[in-house]
Amino acid sequence: MGNISAGLRKQGAAAATDIDSTWDVVVIGGGITGAAVFCEAVRMGLKTLLLEQKDFAWGTSSRSSKMVHGGLRYLKQGKFMLTLASVRERQRLLSELPGLVDPLGFLMPVYSDHGPSRLAMGVGLSLYSLMAMEKQHKGYGPKQMAAMVPGLRTKKLSGGFYFKDAQVDDARLVMRLIHEGADSGGVALNYTRVDDIGRDRRGRVAAVTAIDTDTGKTAELYAPVVVNATGAWADKLHPPPARGIHVRPLRGSHLIFPGSLFPLDRVVSFIHPADGRPVFIFPWEGTAVLGTTDVDHEPDLNMEPVITGGEADYLMEGLDFILPGLGISREACIASIAGVRPVLGKGKVPASKESREHMVWEQKGLVTVTGGKLTTFRLLARDALAKARRYIPHGRPPLDSEPVFRVPDRMSEKTEESDLGVKRRLLGRYGALAGRVVEESPRELVSTVGDTSTLWAELPFAARYEQVKHLSDLMLRRVRIGLLLPGGGEDILDKVESICAPFLSWDSDRWSDEKKRYTEEWHRAYAPPD
Ligand SMILES: Cc1cc2nc3c(=O)[nH]c(=O)nc-3n(C[C@H](O)[C@H](O)[C@H](O)COP(=O)(O)OP(=O)(O)OC[C@H]3O[C@@H](n4cnc5c(N)ncnc54)[C@H](O)[C@@H]3O)c2cc1C
């Protein structure tokens, strides 16, 4: 069974004021990019500290469409190398992280009156398959397509395609990277914001000023290099290198429906009739998720992004157009989620035309990495650390062929006895710590929460070992039941309290406050839109 590292064991109590003050690298931002830089830096043998101002994955990295994909849109834009890199990362993650990154089939109907032609789609998908070095797509005629997708619009349907990509639980992927880094000696703190980056007389980075956002206490932490992995916040700490380029926050929103309304275990991907953008509906943890939009995001980045009525109308218009026979109504929606893409651009083209490539820039020890995708986190991290290396000469990057994620030698007996799907899920999500989820729980908690595939046992595990500071950390990011259950799981909050209370030092007043705060937050940012 895996060891709980000092980095994680101490997490519940640790704060910036009671850790070492000197580090090789400080990483700012606890989304996928920061978590990947953290994990890779620890693998280089560097003394690494990660600081996140809110919760791990609170930003975009818990709000994505959860696809681990090559990105067919890049192919359309002629960006072959980028697609190739993404496809390779996808294949790598599928083999390293079964149970967290799993194959997901796509069905894409093709119409003669709009969207790409059968020929164009066929050529694109052949290239896509070639990149994966395996045929991963198949073409179908209109009758077959209609039979495969219940409720599909058949007018002008000229056929369609099946192809393979993959799906991940984004927030758990972030946690998996943080576990890996912390298990090898890194320290990661949530609710710790970096307010300032200090420099020496020559202008080189020397320290950061961090503030514990719960207590207000500050600490000066020293490092010769700081990696700014703050996504959409990146240019607040470090202006982009070229004039005119800035971070353009673009909001993408999703609507979540009960899985019973969408009788498919595949994605239906289609072209929205209003603007020709790709949109999809996909199965996720027993629900069906419809997304996404792509609009400029004006509100304060430190507030939870929220779907607007206009975005919901747009998504429902697309769904009604493509799957009229399913009759999914807006009233059936159980939750929503919106995220902000950290896109770098000049802001002169429509949102969906902005490049999604990542960018790294450096100035005297401050390395900034932003843009990019969830799928290519390892490449972003390696690029950022390559720029950081001149300030930390003793670190050596691991070989490209070395796996990032460790697999436990053996699981506990109780875990071995579990259902195969459960074992796979736990191994993917918790790696070397998977055994503990089951081992440290009473048998009755090794059962699922409602119709979701989340085990009750995952909640006390997270409360105990995963630096849960607020109930929303637990319900929305350590496990995702706040998005999967109607009302954000309001009905089960008393049970959550009873099984997690032994591991959180909250008295009953604190539990009442946390439940109130979580419920308000859910209604404000995750409820179905009006
Ligand atoms: C709607 C949508 C769908 C997407 N779908 C996909 C997909 O299917 N597949 C895919 O590969 N990619 C997808 N993406 C892209 C992907 O989600 C993002 O590129 C990725 O999550 C960005 O991660 P990040 O770590 O750079 O940023 P974030 O996850 O936002 O992390 C940055 C963190 O920095 C913290 N921070 C900011 N300032 C400070 C400070 N001063 N001190 C400390 N911490 C700070 C923030 O709180 C935040 O948590 C999608 C994006 C969106 C919006």
Side-chain angles (χ1 to χ4, degrees), residues 85-101:
S86 305
V87 168
R88 286 195 177 147
E89 289 305 299
R90 180 195 69 192
Q91 295 305 94
R92 183 184 177 117
L93 287 167
L94 278 167
S95 73
E96 270 196 48
L97 283 180
L100 180 56
V101 178

Side-chain angles (χ1 to χ4, degrees), residues 24 29 47 60 66 122 148 190 239 323 337 370 382 423 457 461 465 469 500 518 530:
D24 289 333
K47 187 176 170 194
T60 314
K66 291 144 192 59
M148 282 156 78
N190 53 358
L323 292 171
I337 186 164
T370 192
R382 286 174 84 90
K423 234 166 37 186
F461 172 86
Y465 296 121
K469 297 252 175 100
C500 295
Y518 165 68
D530 289 337

Side-chain angles (χ1 to χ4, degrees), residues 28 32-33 52-53 60-61 65 67 194 341 372-375:
I28 315 174
I32 189 71
T33 312
E52 161 57 48
Q53 63 170 358
T60 314
S61 301
S65 303
M67 304 294 166
V194 170
R341 299 178 184 87
K373 306 194 297 168
L374 204 70
T375 309

